[in-house]
Amino acid sequence: MTAPLLVVQDLCRTYRSRGWMGRGFVTRAVDGVSFQVMPGETLGLVGESGSGKSTTGRLVMGLEEPDAGRVVFAGTDLTALSPAARKPFRRRMQIVFQDPYAALNPRMRVGDFVEEPLVVHGLGGGAAQRREEVAGLFRTVGLDPAFMRRFPHEFSGGQRQRIGIARAIALQPEFLVADEPITALDVSIQAQIVNLFQDLQERMGLALLFIAHDLSMVRYLCNRVAVMLKGRIVEAGPTEAVFNDARHPYTRALLSAVPIPDPLRERGRRRIVFDAGGYAFPPDAALREVGGGHLVLQGAST
Ligand SMILES: Nc1ncnc2c1ncn2[C@@H]1O[C@H](COP(=O)(O)OP(=O)(O)OP(=O)(O)O)[C@@H](O)[C@H]1O
Ligand SMILES: [Mg+2]
């Protein structure tokens, strides 16, 4: 049995905000989330806007501190480490963001942007050798190394996302969080970027936490999927088990919104409505296995 690369245990994060008339309120953005990612595996994290997907990604990356819970990477509890002790792990875990426009520095040549992590971590040898390395990274993500001297505004959205990915893989990480990396792109470009992720995984043995809205891409790319609702995972398991045999009403509603490519079956598709606002978790709800690693959030009596 191989050990998991990432173990997330009972992660919690609340935000305190001031609301209308200065009244304070608390958002439970992430509320007891647990999951594992094996080396080289892709876990898809899906759920409606505000369900806590990005917060989970930031907590895993250590960009934010949890209120409770643990993030264990390659056997080490990162939440127990000082920022200095965490530094070596920064190399091994990287993140790609949704908006390739915001992620890039507009005044920096894209080659320098991709090279920066190598410089910061003192890797890649001398300047000439580093340039070669960056050229190789450009080729890996499907960009002409001649583009290295250009600025971000000279690129399309899909190309900018490739640049962001090149930077993220510069340090040869074992694990990547991709937070909606294709949502901002044209539909025609989305599949190309998903294919790039798949290609990188095969080449580098990269494990991926793929946060997404588009369930058809998740089905295509991910080995396993976890569905989030209001800060909790309501269903998780092997992708085909969850897609073919969804148990939680929220998962069923999500799946019923996905068009079916077969026109005959598409005609018979019925959308299931789920009232997330009116939904309350059963007080004793826990993820319970319904077989083959397929977990569903259920009360003890259901
Ligand atoms: N820095 C913050 N301060 C206050 N509230 C926040 C903060 N970040 C997130 N939240 C709240 O936490 C909840 C979860 O947000 P999060 O961004 O993790 O959701 P998400 O699933 O990524 O949504 P989306 O699909 O829209 O990206 C939301 O209610 C959000 O408003
Ligand atoms: Mg988000």
Side-chain angles (χ1 to χ4, degrees), residues 53-54 98 179-180 211:
K53 305 180 298 296
S54 294
Q98 169 174 345
D179 189 354
E180 309 231 22
I211 299 172

mmCIF file of all heavy atoms in Angstrom, residues 53-54 98 179-180 211, ligand 2:
data_model
loop_
_atom_site.group_PDB
_atom_site.id
_atom_site.type_symbol
_atom_site.label_atom_id
_atom_site.label_comp_id
_atom_site.label_asym_id
_atom_site.label_seq_id
_atom_site.Cartn_x
_atom_site.Cartn_y
_atom_site.Cartn_z
ATOM 1 N N LYS A 53 -14.620 25.858 -1.520
ATOM 2 C CA LYS A 53 -13.596 25.149 -2.298
ATOM 3 C C LYS A 53 -12.262 25.899 -2.286
ATOM 4 O O LYS A 53 -11.222 25.304 -2.009
ATOM 5 C CB LYS A 53 -14.083 24.962 -3.749
ATOM 6 C CG LYS A 53 -15.417 24.264 -3.868
ATOM 7 C CD LYS A 53 -15.847 24.098 -5.320
ATOM 8 C CE LYS A 53 -16.058 25.394 -6.076
ATOM 9 N NZ LYS A 53 -17.158 26.237 -5.576
ATOM 10 N N SER A 54 -12.310 27.194 -2.600
ATOM 11 C CA SER A 54 -11.055 27.967 -2.645
ATOM 12 C C SER A 54 -10.436 28.074 -1.263
ATOM 13 O O SER A 54 -9.204 28.006 -1.129
ATOM 14 C CB SER A 54 -11.310 29.378 -3.187
ATOM 15 O OG SER A 54 -11.715 29.307 -4.524
ATOM 16 N N GLN A 98 -7.477 30.788 -10.881
ATOM 17 C CA GLN A 98 -8.508 30.881 -11.908
ATOM 18 C C GLN A 98 -8.185 31.943 -12.951
ATOM 19 O O GLN A 98 -8.352 31.725 -14.136
ATOM 20 C CB GLN A 98 -9.850 31.212 -11.237
ATOM 21 C CG GLN A 98 -10.927 31.583 -12.229
ATOM 22 C CD GLN A 98 -12.265 31.762 -11.553
ATOM 23 O OE1 GLN A 98 -12.460 31.353 -10.417
ATOM 24 N NE2 GLN A 98 -13.187 32.371 -12.252
ATOM 25 N N ASP A 179 -7.118 25.939 -8.869
ATOM 26 C CA ASP A 179 -8.397 26.508 -8.432
ATOM 27 C C ASP A 179 -9.144 27.093 -9.624
ATOM 28 O O ASP A 179 -8.886 28.215 -10.038
ATOM 29 C CB ASP A 179 -8.146 27.586 -7.366
ATOM 30 C CG ASP A 179 -9.451 28.051 -6.717
ATOM 31 O OD1 ASP A 179 -10.534 27.622 -7.180
ATOM 32 O OD2 ASP A 179 -9.386 28.832 -5.755
ATOM 33 N N GLU A 180 -10.050 26.335 -10.170
ATOM 34 C CA GLU A 180 -10.836 26.719 -11.342
ATOM 35 C C GLU A 180 -9.929 27.228 -12.468
ATOM 36 O O GLU A 180 -10.139 28.332 -12.988
ATOM 37 C CB GLU A 180 -11.855 27.797 -10.959
ATOM 38 C CG GLU A 180 -12.659 27.394 -9.737
ATOM 39 C CD GLU A 180 -14.141 27.510 -9.936
ATOM 40 O OE1 GLU A 180 -14.594 27.495 -11.104
ATOM 41 O OE2 GLU A 180 -14.843 27.593 -8.927
ATOM 42 N N ILE A 211 -10.056 22.059 -8.543
ATOM 43 C CA ILE A 211 -11.294 22.714 -8.106
ATOM 44 C C ILE A 211 -12.035 23.184 -9.345
ATOM 45 O O ILE A 211 -11.444 23.839 -10.208
ATOM 46 C CB ILE A 211 -10.964 23.903 -7.174
ATOM 47 C CG1 ILE A 211 -10.216 23.405 -5.932
ATOM 48 C CG2 ILE A 211 -12.225 24.662 -6.813
ATOM 49 C CD1 ILE A 211 -9.681 24.503 -5.032
HETATM 50 MG MG MG B 2 -13.436 29.692 -5.375
#
